[in-house]
Amino acid sequence: LPLVKFSNSLSFSLQAKMSRPLQAQRLEGTDKNIWVEFVKLAATYSKVNLGQGFPDFPPPDFLKEAFVKALSGENHMMHQYTRAFGHPPLVKILAQFYGKLLGRDLDPMTNVMVTVGAYQALFCCFQAFIEEGDEVIIIEPFFDCYEPMTKMAGGTPVFVPLRPKAPKDGKLMSSKDWQLDPAELASKFNERTKAIVLNSPNNPLGKVFSRGELELIADLCVKHDVLCFSDEVYEWLVYDGKEHIRIASLPGMWDRTVIIGSAGKTFSATGWKVGWTVGPNRLQQHLRNVHQNSVYHCATAAQEAVAQGFQRELELYGKADSYFSQLPKELQQKRDWLVQSLDAVGMKPIVPEGTYFLVADISKFKSDVPDVPDSDEPYDSRFAKWMVKNKGLAAIPLSAFYSGAHKNNYNHFIRFCFAKKEATLKAANDILQKWKQEKTSP
Amino acid sequence: MLFASRSFCFLGVRAYQLRTDLLCRSIKLSASATMAFRHKNTRRIEGLDSNVWVEFTKVAADPSIVNLGQGLPDISPPSYVKEELAKAAAVDRLNQYTRGFGHPSLVKALSQVYERVCGRKIDPLTDILVTVGAYGSLFSTIQALIEEGDEVIIIEPFYDCYEPMVKMAGAEPVFIPLRYKNDGNSTSSADWVLDPAELANKFNSKTKAIILNTPNNPIGKVFTREELQVIADLCIKHDTLCISDEVYEWMVYKGNKHIKIATLPGMWERTITIGSAGKTYSVTGWKLGWSIGPQNLIKHLQVVHQNTLYTCPTPLQEALAQAFWIDFKRMDDPDCYFYSLSRELESKRDRMAQLLQEAGLKPVIPDGGYFMIVDVSTLNVDLSDVDENQPYDYKFVKWMIRSKKLSAIPLSAFCGPETKRQFEKYIRFCFIKKDSTLDAAEVILKNWNKQTA
């Protein structure tokens, strides 16, 4: 008998490699990711990185100090688990802050949840509410994760584009000029529509949806009884005196909206990965369910520091000293700088109303990167890769923010991130100027 | 009705607000019926909302209660670990996004430590994924590799999240209990074993994976090489994956050795090994964990990760990397934290056991981990008048929290439906606690019998 066992185990070890199909079906069509590729390229080649969206300046001092205080204090329980749905000081201040912004009484325990970045907040929304048979309306161009998250949840993404209106002669295009066609949007709603993802201010265009545009969306949500996942991570980054309007404050919308926010964008600390959802308990309870069965707790110390940051901002709200006033002021200047740089060399910037992104039309630069008619890869992607390898300037192709079928609809634009130090933007300008000179000289 | 509201825009915001409020109310009334149905949760999370921790951490949050329930240390993490985090936070670029699948210096450090432990080459970029705690690794693994139609074997008692995670993936959990060998008086976690024939019976063509947890939470069992070989043989025979939760890998007590099932012949190719910074460095609030395995499995976990939260916090990962380098360099030295923590915990384990024994209880002495289970039926606490339809141990723990100001976790929380009755006389204590906490527990246990009902 022992002999039989021995020879059996030998043959078993020969078949050691798993032979059956491994990955779950839910991963189908979700494996490609633009960032994996472009982040690597930027890391390898870029001298000036205006690609991935993160600031190259530090978070504000008061936030860094709050973090150090949390870590070095007597209370070493800052290194242990906190409340799973959000560290109490943080959810309390978020409830206060958003309550003030929305004109509502919010309960920190049931109307707010803390997540690992806004990314995980989005994930909870899709997993809690989207399944096979559901359609999700996504406005193009969109932050790329909405599509794979819809698919991973078994849903069907339905795309509707923002369409550019030509600017008046001589004027630069604004993100305002990219608009939804109301009839086209209405045609996307049907009985299978479970949710629409709204991102305002919008990444990558920088569009800040107006009240009228939000009402258009809200009316359809109410009429078709659809949920709204409202990604508002750039809520504080609005320029030229524009107002960020929260769709949840529109009639009929609070009950069907999940608001998503991000400490990374709010406090220039993308590496902290602290985000949140705000909404009615009826929706939040299901987000908590997903959260407790996926990551459960978020890191404690960063939550404590963000809570301190919000406390300060609540006290300074509306004042010149507030970070929420200063940051957009600073970024607006940087935006204007970059707009000037790009315009001067013949790349046509679309002036963003918000976010720290700017999209520019690169049609004039076709000469450096020839068209390849049968190429699978969209033109702007090839252009962006050529640019980072040959000019050391990293940016992201706009086609990255479109669904597969639409990648060639707007394939001569690239996205720049301008949340960068003056020195970085100057260096970008130098590269662009030199490039222009190389093109014009014989 | 909806379009009429727009014509009022010109009357100014206030009038608009008034009319749309009225409009809103009427919409609410007409839509309320459909709203209740349409905004239902998805099937994947149906029935997964209750959770023993949400229930018991709330109850035990009262500071007057001696909390030996939830598994979190109240001892301080080593000072160099805290210092490294403060250092990392001071570097500007470490406050921004890092590599999605794991901060380069951290995956490098992990690959070095685990290469040494496993005796094989581990590629930091393809064989490792950094996640939000071991919890996140379990989730990524299950979402990546498990789906409807699959069965997943779970050994009871089990860390409670395995069951809802398997269900959320649409698969069927198949339970098999550890059984107490009726072998004399001493109770050690080693006395709890799997019946090999019973285990073999649980495997079939639908079995996609088995979840192994060694050292085991809650019992503290450290699976021996022979026990792991039984599992490995079945995994290979049935071409099954092994999800090996080894978060307590460094906490093994004298006379025991932690063995990685991935190092057994034929197992590397089919095993995901999960580890935890929280348990390794007593920093549960950092929520960093990792999955290690062959590229062809890890790549699917990476896809899940890039579509769920994308990247983990940077300063924490950098600090953890530095802490690992410090301890990697002294892995031959008994002062290495991996070993010194274990020694510290062993004396706490022994003290906890003594306290319980002196109170007339029979604790199950764990060979690893920082939990200890104990049979409380000998205390004969009559809770039959308690109305709630919960297992005995739930009622007992709630009673103990209220009347003795001592908390623990009921063991039936760690069991599948069939086995709850078998374990409902046990409760779990956590002993990774500072001396003053254990002193307070001692007082309560010594005085237990002094109070009349």
Side-chain angles (χ1 to χ4, degrees):
Chain A
L1 213 58
L3 260 172
V4 173
K5 261 200 182 151
F6 182 66
S7 69
N8 274 350
S9 67
L10 257 185
S11 65
F12 294 155
S13 65
L14 288 173
Q15 325 160 22
K17 218 174 174 76
M18 290 228 39
S19 55
R20 66 164 96 190
L22 288 166
Q23 74 272 28
Q25 289 253 338
R26 67 178 64 84
L27 302 189
E28 189 116 354
T30 67
D31 51 326
K32 297 260 176 302
N33 183 284
I34 188 86
W35 305 108
V36 176
E37 187 176 14
F38 276 86
V39 166
K40 222 191 303 194
L41 281 170
T44 314
Y45 296 103
S46 78
K47 300 193 196 79
V48 179
N49 188 356
L50 303 190
Q52 194 187 7
F54 60 87
D56 70 355
F57 48 78
D61 284 338
F62 66 82
L63 194 76
K64 290 198 292 182
E65 278 155 26
F67 195 45
V68 169
K69 208 171 87 174
L71 298 177
S72 57
E74 289 266 310
N75 182 12
H76 58 250
M77 293 312 280
M78 281 290 135
H79 296 278
Q80 307 306 335
Y81 293 131
T82 181
R83 177 177 168 270
F85 303 130
H87 188 51
L90 180 54
V91 293
K92 286 201 181 101
I93 192 73
L94 286 171
Q96 252 188 297
F97 212 101
Y98 282 90
K100 183 189 161 88
L101 294 170
L102 296 165
R104 274 186 184 270
D105 232 320
L106 296 182
D107 176 358
M109 300 292 132
T110 59
N111 295 133
V112 181
M113 185 176 83
V114 176
T115 56
V116 181
Y119 215 98
Q120 195 231 333
L122 286 160
F123 180 72
C124 288
C125 287
F126 285 96
Q127 289 288 310
F129 298 113
I130 307 302
E131 58 190 347
E132 213 170 298
D134 291 336
E135 288 181 7
V136 177
I137 297 175
I138 298 173
I139 300 167
E140 291 180 309
F142 57 94
F143 180 56
D144 68 299
C145 81
Y146 304 156
E147 184 182 0
M149 283 192 184
T150 303
K151 287 180 164 163
M152 193 172 155
T156 304
V158 170
F159 301 100
V160 59
L162 286 163
R163 293 182 185 283
K165 278 187 357 216
K168 294 200 179 75
D169 265 331
K171 284 196 100 195
L172 285 173
M173 192 176 260
S174 155
S175 56
K176 192 162 39 97
D177 298 322
W178 288 65
Q179 294 170 7
L180 290 169
D181 176 323
E184 188 178 16
L185 178 64
S187 73
K188 303 290 180 178
F189 281 77
N190 60 49
E191 65 277 0
R192 290 181 303 279
T193 312
K194 190 75 185 283
I196 179 168
V197 185
L198 173 69
N199 176 218
S200 181
N202 164 280
N203 171 11
L205 281 175
K207 178 183 178 62
V208 174
F209 284 69
S210 67
R211 184 173 292 276
E213 290 172 313
L214 293 175
E215 280 165 5
L216 177 72
I217 295 168
D219 284 347
L220 287 162
C221 283
V222 171
K223 176 176 175 183
H224 294 274
D225 196 20
V226 163
L227 293 170
C228 180
F229 303 159
S230 186
D231 178 351
E232 303 184 25
V233 297
Y234 301 103
E235 58 189 312
W236 300 110
L237 306 185
V238 286
Y239 311 122
D240 309 315
K242 255 207 113 85
E243 191 199 346
H244 168 67
I245 298 163
R246 294 177 173 81
I247 197 170
S249 63
L250 266 56
M253 289 307 288
W254 168 254
D255 282 311
R256 60 184 67 255
T257 304
V258 178
I259 303 171
I260 291 162
S262 156
K265 308 299 189 284
T266 295
F267 289 111
S268 310
T270 59
W272 286 26
K273 293 291 290 186
V274 175
W276 50 83
T277 62
V278 175
N281 185 45
R282 209 170 51 97
L283 299 181
Q284 290 285 122
Q285 64 181 328
H286 303 308
L287 302 178
R288 291 194 290 270
N289 188 334
V290 175
H291 183 77
Q292 93 192 15
N293 290 310
S294 57
V295 308
Y296 200 19
H297 295 88
C298 301
T300 310
Q303 290 190 65
E304 174 68 27
V306 172
Q308 298 295 322
F310 265 109
Q311 190 62 54
R312 177 200 194 261
E313 288 303 300
L314 184 64
E315 284 158 24
L316 292 173
Y317 187 71
K319 303 205 170 90
D321 272 5
S322 110
Y323 190 68
F324 296 170
S325 305
Q326 288 180 333
L327 183 63
K329 249 212 196 87
E330 247 179 73
L331 285 172
Q332 180 168 326
Q333 276 184 336
K334 294 174 192 292
R335 173 197 72 170
D336 295 342
W337 240 83
L338 185 60
V339 165
Q340 240 182 348
S341 284
L342 295 169
D343 197 24
V345 299
M347 283 189 185
K348 288 273 174 235
I350 299 166
V351 183
E353 300 157 277
T355 78
Y356 46 49
F357 299 111
L358 185 163
V359 171
D361 183 337
I362 45 145
S363 327
K364 290 280 175 66
F365 280 69
K366 273 186 145 81
S367 57
D368 274 323
V369 184
D371 257 319
V372 175
D374 291 325
S375 173
D376 258 343
E377 194 178 3
Y379 178 82
D380 56 356
S381 178
R382 289 179 34 249
F383 183 92
K385 288 182 185 170
W386 184 93
M387 185 171 78
V388 71
K389 287 180 183 160
N390 293 280
K391 299 297 173 190
L393 178 61
I396 305 293
L398 194 69
S399 58
F401 305 97
Y402 280 87
S403 61
H406 302 161
K407 279 196 193 301
N408 282 309
N409 293 5
Y410 299 96
N411 62 1
H412 45 282
F413 295 92
I414 54 177
R415 184 199 81 170
F416 294 96
C417 171
F418 56 84
K420 305 291 174 186
K421 300 190 281 237
E422 216 176 283
T424 312
L425 296 174
K426 263 202 164 80
N429 187 53
D430 290 341
I431 290 175
L432 290 165
Q433 284 294 325
K434 188 157 170 277
W435 190 354
K436 180 187 178 190
Q437 277 161 22
E438 281 165 9
K439 288 162 76 61
T440 53
S441 58
Chain B
M1 210 166 58
L2 286 167
F3 297 101
S5 69
R6 279 208 197 82
S7 65
F8 292 109
C9 277
F10 302 111
L11 296 175
V13 178
R14 283 240 177 117
Y16 174 79
Q17 204 55 50
L18 193 59
R19 277 174 176 74
T20 51
D21 281 348
L22 290 170
L23 192 59
C24 171
R25 251 173 261 144
S26 63
I27 291 169
K28 265 194 168 142
L29 283 170
S30 62
S32 60
T34 29
M35 260 165 81
F37 169 73
R38 284 270 288 174
H39 298 169
K40 218 171 113 62
N41 53 288
T42 51
R43 276 162 300 186
R44 71 174 62 86
I45 55 172
E46 189 60 46
L48 304 187
D49 49 327
S50 73
N51 178 291
V52 66
W53 310 107
V54 176
E55 197 175 348
F56 282 92
T57 50
K58 220 190 308 191
V59 176
D62 177 350
S64 71
I65 292 174
V66 179
N67 191 352
L68 303 188
Q70 189 187 9
L72 81 174
D74 67 3
I75 60 173
S76 175
S79 51
Y80 59 91
V81 168
K82 294 190 284 183
E83 276 152 29
E84 289 301 336
L85 184 54
K87 273 186 357 214
V91 178
D92 286 351
R93 65 174 174 76
L94 292 178
N95 286 294
Q96 308 304 336
Y97 291 133
T98 182
R99 176 178 170 268
F101 303 143
H103 188 53
S105 61
L106 177 56
V107 292
K108 186 94 212 294
L110 287 168
S111 73
Q112 298 281 281
V113 170
Y114 286 101
E115 270 178 9
R116 209 196 117 116
V117 171
C118 297
R120 75 173 295 132
K121 196 103 192 63
I122 296 175
D123 183 320
L125 300 182
T126 61
D127 300 346
I128 301 180
L129 173 67
V130 175
T131 56
V132 177
Y135 215 96
S137 272
L138 287 160
F139 184 73
S140 297
T141 303
I142 292 169
Q143 284 286 309
L145 303 171
I146 308 296
E147 59 189 340
E148 208 173 306
D150 290 339
E151 288 181 10
V152 177
I153 297 174
I154 299 175
I155 300 166
E156 300 167 296
F158 56 92
Y159 180 58
D160 71 301
C161 81
Y162 303 159
E163 183 184 358
M165 283 192 184
V166 166
K167 285 181 165 164
M168 191 170 158
E172 182 84 33
V174 170
F175 300 103
I176 176 168
L178 286 165
R179 293 184 186 284
Y180 177 63
K181 272 188 326 212
N182 237 337
D183 217 0
N185 257 332
S186 80
T187 38
S188 150
S189 59
D191 298 331
W192 293 77
V193 299
L194 289 174
D195 178 327
E198 188 181 11
L199 179 63
N201 246 342
K202 300 289 179 180
F203 279 78
N204 60 50
S205 57
K206 295 207 285 250
T207 311
K208 190 73 182 282
I210 178 168
I211 302 179
L212 172 69
N213 177 217
T214 181
N216 164 281
N217 171 9
I219 292 186
K221 177 184 178 63
V222 174
F223 284 70
T224 63
R225 184 174 291 276
E226 292 70 33
E227 289 174 313
L228 293 176
Q229 193 62 63
V230 170
I231 295 171
D233 286 347
L234 286 163
C235 285
I236 292 168
K237 176 175 180 184
H238 294 272
D239 197 21
T240 300
L241 291 165
C242 180
I243 303 171
S244 189
D245 176 353
E246 303 185 12
V247 297
Y248 302 103
E249 59 186 308
W250 302 113
M251 299 165 187
V252 281
Y253 306 122
K254 268 202 253 8
N256 297 279
K257 187 167 191 292
H258 172 69
I259 295 162
K260 291 182 164 308
I261 196 170
T263 60
L264 268 55
M267 288 307 286
W268 170 258
E269 287 307 310
R270 60 186 64 256
T271 305
I272 302 284
T273 306
I274 293 169
S276 156
K279 308 299 189 279
T280 298
Y281 281 110
S282 310
V283 287
T284 59
W286 286 29
K287 284 293 294 194
L288 283 176
W290 46 87
S291 300
I292 298 180
Q295 175 175 10
N296 69 310
L297 294 182
I298 294 290
K299 73 181 186 204
H300 301 305
L301 275 65
Q302 290 175 336
V303 170
V304 171
H305 186 78
Q306 89 196 11
N307 291 313
T308 53
L309 49 98
Y310 201 85
T311 183
C312 293
T314 314
L316 294 168
Q317 292 189 71
E318 175 64 24
L320 184 60
Q322 296 306 320
F324 264 119
W325 285 125
I326 290 171
D327 284 302
F328 173 68
K329 285 193 212 117
R330 49 181 191 170
M331 272 178 92
D332 284 325
D333 187 339
D335 279 344
C336 174
Y337 190 69
F338 305 159
Y339 320 135
S340 66
L341 176 63
S342 191
R343 285 193 304 273
E344 191 186 335
L345 285 174
E346 186 158 353
S347 53
K348 289 183 191 289
R349 176 197 73 165
D350 295 342
R351 184 177 175 197
M352 184 89 240
Q354 203 186 5
L355 295 179
L356 293 167
Q357 282 155 351
E358 282 168 5
L361 290 163
K362 279 177 79 172
V364 175
I365 315 292
D367 286 329
Y370 51 55
F371 300 110
M372 182 177 291
I373 69 168
V374 57
D375 178 347
V376 295
S377 59
T378 50
L379 295 174
N380 281 315
V381 175
D382 182 2
L383 298 167
S384 50
D385 59 338
V386 176
D387 230 351
E388 294 163 53
N389 184 19
Q390 285 193 319
Y392 178 81
D393 53 357
Y394 269 74
K395 293 196 270 198
F396 182 91
V397 170
K398 286 183 180 169
W399 167 84
M400 186 173 74
I401 291 173
R402 258 191 338 265
S403 58
K404 302 294 179 188
K405 298 289 190 186
L406 177 65
S407 78
I409 300 293
L411 211 71
S412 54
F414 303 96
C415 299
E418 315 280 303
T419 326
K420 281 191 200 293
R421 288 262 158 248
Q422 192 183 318
F423 284 98
E424 71 173 331
K425 52 184 188 165
Y426 289 94
I427 64 175
R428 184 197 81 171
F429 286 107
C430 170
F431 56 85
I432 185 166
K433 301 291 175 183
K434 54 188 192 236
D435 288 339
S436 56
T437 309
L438 295 176
D439 291 342
E442 179 168 10
V443 170
I444 294 171
L445 289 165
K446 281 205 153 94
N447 290 319
W448 191 284
N449 294 313
K450 292 197 179 150
Q451 285 171 12
T452 42

